[in-house]
């Protein structure tokens, strides 16, 4: 342990974090990163960059004189305001996310509908080349628009967004993840990308959108825009903002799938790393509001006031009309679907990982190259969607068709394409449709012979491959719909093969195929089961869906991790896993502590604090009381960089080294330490410290967290990791086991628990189980 001395660091090697922030954040969202440990308490080095600005969030509520005084001064009416605002913000998040979900649906259906109707009209006139030119041209224009928004305005908006939200709720602080520019690009980029015919969905981006809305609402006002009402100050902290973002993520799922209960379970099972019963109530309330908003607008649109987005209810793919009867051969088919889904899902994850690594190298070359890659994938998708239906043979229209056949004016089944009157092209019914309508066609019941086995196989291979190569390009793109699309296709294919001995409808096999592929890629069970049942309105399928999800997840876990976990690791975000690695039980907390450890005295010289802030990237500093303020050196608490900056700006200095807590309390308030919203917080460059003030003293006792979480140095690293994650910590103090030593051994941050750091120190422990 060392008191800070400016001679500890070579000034030529010092790093200004802010100079690298833009560059490094761009790399986080465009390439895989290799992380290794450097000698700082709370930051990581990245190959190719000096310091990574990704930090942990301060979920812990500090206990110091300022906070205690603020709580004592709160009246009953202020506490009531705080509770009421929590529910009011949940209501606003639900309303906003529901409205955005409706807007996305209406925009996609109308834009894509116009494109498909134009293509169909030209096809009916036998102008096939012009039809392709119109189809590909519309796709190209929409794709380029989506790519330009991502490349030039918000690179963080590319991709699903679920891995980033998951990392944020785990405690990873990366500002641009939830910025207002990211929200704007996520909404419009997702509309353009889905309408462009890519094999992507808007469900993942909707989760990110709901989280962005919650983040903006929960910023506690804005000093920049003079929105600083006193009652908003309660939300200027990471703890309340995290709860609101959890509600936003659940609302995004509810708006995307029209599955309110599934949204709550998704937030609980996949997104959030920390949960409590009060949060469950607010999350459920938020998704219920979303469901009410969706229901109201869907009824309004059923009157024809929303253009091509017409009739429909909260049930997106209703299969309740099919009779659910199954026997032993059906159970065997379900088990087979689970095994296939696990294998195909793990292969899908593996290939997505390789494609993302390749695209990251390409995307490093600039915005123009990103857009060019999107254009190439768009052309390939258009060629496949328009070209592959020519391989299919025309099928006579069924006499008992529930809809018009052939279909030439609206989306749905029985697309005529190049077929003569009275016939339809089954591949065109899948390719020349929106992804939602294609899934609806595959899940349709009582239409056993609608699709040839060969057509289902061609469509599955095409969608499987296009889904892999599309994810990772510079557009907002969700993984749910591509996975459901491919899974329902091979599920229907298996249903056709088992048709002679099976009692289940092929539409129900499609549902089970979608469930198996979802379980094999995303490794969720409870939330996926409820989402699928809410989507299809068939509770009788519950046992089979549960069975196929359990089998597919078990099979997939034998090969690799879930797709979102892989992407989090690929982006280099220091995510804390729920379960520590097996080798951590062979190490103790002291083994991974690195130095030098910078500490401050309870009453410290201003110049020492300024030098420490300037020459290190540390965000937490232990405060040590020494004689004459204590009989022996003892750990007084922990103070954050942000708190020190506010304290120095307040200039509650004294010429003598004495306790001056009352003076500090008069000059600054708890509100001054509130976390900044969308604007940047206080920086070292914003301070105006005169030369004569460097030799003055400042009392750190009023702002130091007097009860930081501590662990003894001999605690197993596995146990320390569990405590760190479950408590949502940013710093964990390691104290000595015996007396007569300095009162603190070191500080553990989330980067000390990362495998790259541990295995870099102890390579041999990898092989210890």
């Amino acid at each position: 342990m060392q008191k800070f001395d400016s001679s500890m660091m070579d000034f030529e090697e010092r790093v200004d974090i802010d100079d690298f922030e833009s560059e490094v954040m761009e790399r986080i969202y465009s390439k895989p990163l290799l992380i290794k440990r450097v000698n700082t308490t709370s930051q990581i080095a990245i190959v190719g960059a000096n310091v990574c600005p990704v930090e942990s969030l301060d979920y812990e509520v500090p206990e110091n004189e300022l906070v205690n005084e603020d709580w004592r001064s709160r009246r009953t009416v202020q506490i009531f305001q705080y509770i009421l605002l929590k529910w009011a913000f949940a209501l606003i998040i639900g309303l906003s996310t529901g409205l955005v979900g409706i807007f996305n649906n209406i925009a996609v259906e109308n834009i894509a509908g116009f494109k498909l109707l134009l293509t169909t009209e030209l096809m009916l006139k036998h102008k096939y080349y012009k039809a392709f030119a119109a189809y590909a041209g519309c796709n190209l224009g929409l794709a380029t628009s989506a790519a330009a928004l991502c490349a030039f305005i918000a690179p963080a908006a590319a991709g699903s967004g679920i891995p980033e939200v998951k990392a944020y709720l785990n405690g990873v602080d990366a500002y641009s993840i939830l910025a207002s520019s990211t929200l704007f690009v996520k909404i419009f980029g997702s509309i353009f990308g889905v309408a462009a015919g890519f094999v992507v969905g808007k469900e993942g981006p909707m989760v990110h959108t709901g989280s962005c809305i919650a983040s903006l609402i929960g910023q506690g006002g804005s000093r920049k825009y003079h929105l600083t009402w006193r009652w908003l100050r309660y939300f200027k902290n990471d703890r309340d903002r995290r709860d609101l973002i959890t509600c936003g993520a659940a609302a995004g799922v509810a708006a995307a799938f029209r599955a309110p209960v599934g949204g709550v379970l998704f937030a609980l099972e996949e997104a959030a790393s920390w949960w409590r019963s009060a949060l469950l109530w607010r999350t459920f309330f938020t998704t219920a509001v979303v469901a009410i908003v969706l229901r109201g607008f869907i009824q309004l649109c059923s009157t024809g006031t929303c253009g091509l987005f017409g009739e429909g209810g909260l049930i997106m793919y209703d299969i309740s009309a099919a009779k659910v009867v199954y026997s032993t051969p059906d159970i065997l088919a379900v088990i087979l679907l689970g095994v296939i889904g696990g294998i195909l899902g793990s292969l899908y994850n593996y290939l997505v990982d390789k494609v993302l690594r390749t695209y990251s190298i390409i995307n490093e070359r600039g915005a123009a190259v990103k857009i060019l890659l999107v254009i190439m994938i768009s052309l390939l998708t258009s060629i496949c969607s328009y070209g592959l239906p020519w391989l299919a043979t025309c099928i006579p229209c069924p006499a008992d068709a529930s809809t018009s056949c052939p279909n030439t004016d609206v989306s749905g089944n029985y697309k005529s394409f190049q077929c003569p009157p009275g016939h339809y092209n089954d591949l065109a019914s899948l390719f020349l449709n929106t992804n939602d309508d294609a899934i609806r066609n595959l899940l349709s019941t009582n239409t056993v012979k609608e699709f040839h086995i060969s057509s289902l196989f061609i469509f599955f291979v095409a969608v499987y491959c296009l889904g892999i190569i599309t994810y990772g390009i510079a557009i907002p793109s969700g993984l749910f719909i591509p996975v459901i699309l491919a899974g329902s296709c091979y599920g229907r294919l298996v249903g056709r093969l088992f048709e002679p001995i099976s009692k289940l409808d092929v539409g129900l096999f499609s549902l089970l195929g979608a469930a198996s592929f979802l379980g094999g890629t995303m490794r969720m069970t409870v939330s996926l089961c409820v989402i699928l049942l809410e989507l299809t309105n068939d509770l009788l399928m519950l046992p089979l869906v549960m069975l196929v999800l359990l089998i597919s997840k078990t099979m997939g876990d034998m090969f690799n991790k879930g797709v979102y976990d892989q992407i989090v690791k690929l982006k280099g975000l220091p995510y804390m896993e729920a379960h520590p690695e097996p080798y951590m039980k062979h190490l103790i907390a002291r083994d991974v502590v690195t130095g030098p450890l910078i500490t401050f005295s309870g009453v410290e010289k201003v110049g020492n604090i300024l030098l420490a802030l300037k020459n290190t990237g540390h965000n937490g500093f232990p405060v040590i009381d020494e004689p004459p303020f204590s009989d022996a050196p003892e750990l007084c608490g922990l103070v954050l960089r942000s708190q020190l900056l506010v304290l120095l700006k307040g200039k509650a200095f004294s010429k003598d080294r004495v306790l001056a807590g009352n003076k500090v309390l008069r000059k600054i308030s708890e509100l001054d330490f509130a976390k900044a919203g969308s604007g940047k917080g206080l920086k070292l460059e914003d301070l105006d410290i005169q030369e004569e003030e460097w030799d003055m003293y400042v009392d750190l006792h009023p702002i130091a967290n007097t009860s930081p979480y501590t662990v003894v140095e001999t605690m197993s690293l596995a146990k320390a990791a569990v405590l760190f994650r479950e408590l949502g910590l940013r710093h964990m103090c390691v104290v000595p086991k015996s007396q007569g030593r300095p009162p603190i051994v070191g500080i553990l941050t989330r980067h000390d628990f990362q495998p790259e750091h541990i295995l870099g120190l102890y390579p041999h422990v990898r092989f210890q189980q």
Side-chain angles (χ1 to χ4, degrees):
M1 180 181 69
Q2 303 182 29
K3 279 293 298 297
F4 183 79
D5 186 349
S6 60
S7 63
M8 291 192 316
M9 297 187 67
D10 184 352
F11 278 80
E12 294 180 357
E13 296 179 354
R14 293 174 189 164
V15 177
D16 185 350
I17 299 174
D18 298 324
D19 292 341
F20 291 94
E21 183 169 354
S22 299
E23 175 186 350
V24 176
M25 289 308 297
E26 168 70 19
R27 297 189 64 182
I28 286 176
Y29 294 110
S30 62
K31 70 170 293 181
L33 302 175
L34 300 176
I35 303 175
K36 63 180 182 181
R37 179 72 186 190
V38 295
N39 288 334
T40 67
T41 57
S42 62
Q43 297 194 316
I44 51 177
I46 301 179
V47 176
N50 288 310
V51 177
C52 176
V54 176
E55 284 293 338
S56 296
L57 295 165
D58 293 310
Y59 290 153
E60 180 183 358
V61 178
E63 294 182 0
N64 54 42
E65 294 179 30
L66 273 174
V67 174
N68 294 337
E69 179 65 26
D70 179 70
W71 274 103
R72 284 194 296 266
S73 64
R74 292 188 185 184
R75 301 188 302 273
T76 304
V77 65
Q78 292 176 317
I79 297 175
F80 177 75
Q81 283 179 345
Y82 174 65
I83 297 173
L84 181 64
L85 278 175
K86 284 186 175 182
W87 289 93
F89 282 174
L91 173 65
I92 296 172
I93 291 168
L95 289 172
S96 303
T97 308
L99 291 174
V100 171
I102 286 292
F103 173 72
N104 279 3
N105 277 292
I106 293 175
V108 168
E109 291 292 335
N110 281 279
I111 295 173
F114 170 80
K115 174 191 69 178
L116 294 172
L117 286 176
L118 177 61
T119 305
T120 302
E121 289 176 2
L122 292 172
M123 290 288 293
L124 291 174
K125 298 176 182 178
H126 304 291
K127 297 179 180 179
Y128 300 127
Y129 291 108
K130 287 185 178 181
F132 174 72
Y135 180 74
C138 290
N139 286 345
L140 197 59
L142 293 167
T144 305
S145 300
L149 288 174
C150 282
F152 293 113
I153 299 179
S160 169
I162 292 178
E164 289 85 351
V165 172
K166 184 177 179 179
Y168 187 92
L169 294 176
N170 186 257
V172 177
D173 186 11
Y175 161 72
S176 60
I177 288 177
L178 301 172
S180 55
S181 58
T182 304
L183 173 62
F184 172 80
V185 174
K186 206 72 181 184
I187 293 174
F188 290 95
S190 175
I191 291 172
F192 294 150
V194 175
F198 286 116
V199 184
V200 298
K202 54 184 180 292
E203 285 69 21
M206 271 305 303
V207 174
H208 197 176
T209 298
S211 301
C212 289
I213 293 172
S215 177
L216 294 175
I217 291 173
Q219 285 184 0
S222 170
R223 294 181 182 179
K224 179 179 179 182
Y225 298 107
H226 306 291
L227 301 174
T228 54
W229 296 293
R230 181 176 179 83
W231 45 271
L232 281 175
R233 68 191 177 103
Y234 305 130
F235 293 89
K236 282 185 171 289
N237 62 82
D238 289 326
R239 188 184 183 92
D240 286 316
R241 200 173 298 177
R242 171 192 61 186
D243 290 352
L244 291 175
I245 290 171
T246 303
C247 293
V253 174
F257 291 110
R258 308 174 196 175
V261 180
V264 176
L265 293 176
F266 174 85
L268 172 62
E269 182 178 6
E270 181 66 13
S273 298
W274 188 85
W275 198 264
R276 56 197 174 97
S277 58
L279 180 59
L280 176 65
W281 277 97
R282 288 207 305 277
T283 306
F284 186 73
F285 172 70
T286 307
T287 58
V289 172
V290 173
I292 293 171
V293 172
L294 291 176
R295 183 65 181 175
F297 274 89
I298 287 172
Q299 286 184 338
L300 176 66
C301 291
S302 64
T303 61
T305 57
C306 300
L308 296 175
F309 182 74
E311 296 182 4
L314 284 177
I315 308 302
M316 292 180 67
Y317 314 119
D318 195 342
I319 61 171
S320 57
K323 188 177 181 181
V324 181
V325 178
Y326 45 89
S327 57
T328 302
D330 297 308
I331 299 296
L332 295 177
V334 170
I335 294 173
L336 176 63
L337 277 175
V339 173
I340 294 174
I343 296 173
L344 289 177
S346 59
L347 177 62
Y348 191 90
N349 293 356
Y350 173 81
L351 295 175
V352 165
D353 181 84
K354 297 301 179 184
V355 168
L356 286 176
R357 292 179 184 273
T358 304
Y359 284 172
S360 67
I361 299 172
I362 298 173
N363 290 337
E364 272 191 326
R365 299 182 180 180
V369 177
K370 290 181 180 180
I371 296 174
L372 181 61
L373 178 61
V374 172
I375 291 173
M376 292 175 60
I377 300 298
S378 175
L379 288 174
L380 178 60
T381 303
S382 298
I383 292 171
C384 291
S385 298
Y386 188 85
L388 290 177
W390 290 92
L391 301 177
T393 58
C394 294
I395 305 173
C397 289
D400 57 345
S402 58
T403 59
S404 60
C405 180
N407 190 338
T408 59
D409 55 348
V410 294
S411 59
N413 282 352
Y414 307 120
K415 290 285 185 178
S416 62
F417 202 60
Q418 89 292 7
C419 294
H423 293 71
Y424 72 96
N425 187 309
D426 57 348
L427 264 181
S429 299
L430 297 175
F431 277 114
L432 294 181
N433 253 325
T434 62
N435 291 331
D436 285 346
D437 283 327
I439 294 173
R440 190 172 289 107
N441 293 344
L442 288 169
L443 292 176
S444 61
T445 56
N446 301 318
T447 55
V448 179
K449 304 293 185 180
E450 180 181 353
F451 301 102
H452 278 308
I453 292 179
S454 59
S455 297
L456 291 172
F457 180 77
I458 293 172
F459 184 73
F460 167 71
V461 172
V463 168
Y464 190 90
C465 296
L466 287 174
I468 291 170
I469 65 173
T470 303
Y471 191 81
I473 61 176
I475 62 168
S477 51
L479 283 170
F480 269 99
I481 288 299
V483 170
I484 293 175
L485 198 57
S488 58
C489 186
Y490 77 71
R492 194 175 183 99
L493 181 59
V494 170
R496 288 294 305 274
L497 296 176
F498 275 80
E499 181 187 353
I501 59 173
S502 174
K503 296 181 180 180
L504 279 178
D505 190 278
V506 289
L508 302 182
F509 270 104
S510 293
L511 171 63
L512 295 172
S516 70
F517 202 16
L518 283 168
T521 54
M522 300 179 183
R523 313 295 161 78
M524 294 180 281
T525 52
V526 179
S527 58
L528 285 180
C529 182
V530 174
I531 288 172
L532 288 172
L533 294 178
E534 287 186 285
L535 277 174
T536 56
N537 192 31
D538 197 345
L539 277 176
L540 295 177
M541 290 294 292
L542 177 62
L544 297 182
V545 173
M546 292 174 64
L547 177 62
V548 78
L549 281 170
L550 289 170
I551 296 173
S552 61
K553 182 186 184 304
T554 304
M555 285 296 300
D557 286 339
M558 294 172 61
F559 298 99
N560 50 32
K561 292 186 176 181
V563 64
Y564 294 135
D565 293 323
Q566 289 189 174
I567 295 172
V568 167
K569 184 177 181 180
L570 196 64
K571 288 180 177 292
L573 298 171
Y575 185 84
M576 289 289 295
E577 298 288 350
H579 305 286
E581 297 291 342
Y583 54 73
M584 287 186 180
K585 63 185 179 183
H586 300 290
L587 299 171
I588 58 176
R590 181 182 59 208
D591 292 335
V592 297
V593 170
T594 56
L597 176 64
I598 309 302
T599 65
F600 293 133
S601 297
V603 181
E604 186 59 82
K605 187 176 289 187
V606 173
N608 288 342
I609 297 176
L610 285 172
L611 287 174
L613 296 178
K614 180 179 180 181
N615 298 322
T616 72
H618 301 5
N619 280 280
F621 301 88
V623 178
I624 307 296
D625 263 344
E626 300 171 337
F629 303 111
S630 63
D631 296 333
E634 63 180 26
L635 179 62
C636 171
L638 188 75
V639 64
L640 301 178
R641 169 183 287 266
S642 58
Q643 295 173 327
L644 289 171
L645 290 173
V646 173
L647 185 63
L648 292 176
K649 186 178 181 181
K651 294 191 175 184
F653 306 149
S654 59
K655 293 184 179 180
D656 300 319
R657 192 167 182 257
V658 295
L659 296 175
N662 292 332
K663 183 178 180 181
V664 173
L665 293 175
R666 286 195 302 269
K667 284 213 169 189
I668 57 178
S669 66
E670 201 273 337
L671 181 59
D672 295 322
F673 294 95
K675 183 165 182 175
S678 57
K680 293 184 178 179
L682 187 62
K683 292 185 178 181
L684 187 61
E685 294 78 13
D686 299 328
L687 301 181
D688 183 21
I689 306 297
Q690 304 301 319
E691 185 176 352
E692 61 271 14
E693 294 174 328
W694 278 59
D695 293 326
M696 299 180 73
Y697 293 90
V698 61
D699 188 1
L700 302 181
H701 291 93
I703 67 169
N705 182 6
T706 56
S707 57
Y709 285 97
T710 60
V711 296
V712 69
E713 60 183 339
T714 54
M715 177 181 282
S716 73
L717 191 60
K719 190 174 181 179
V722 172
L723 286 174
F724 193 96
R725 186 184 191 274
E726 293 299 323
L727 294 173
L729 301 182
R730 182 176 187 178
H731 302 97
M732 177 182 281
C733 297
V734 181
V735 296
K737 185 176 182 180
S738 57
Q739 297 181 352
R741 296 169 56 191
I744 184 168
V745 176
I747 293 180
L748 292 177
T749 67
R750 67 174 51 245
H751 303 296
D752 294 298
F753 296 103
Q754 297 302 306
E756 292 80 4
H757 168 55
I758 299 172
L759 297 177
L761 295 174
Y762 307 100
H764 62 281
V765 300
R766 180 192 295 271
F767 307 104
Q768 298 182 14
Q769 300 296 328

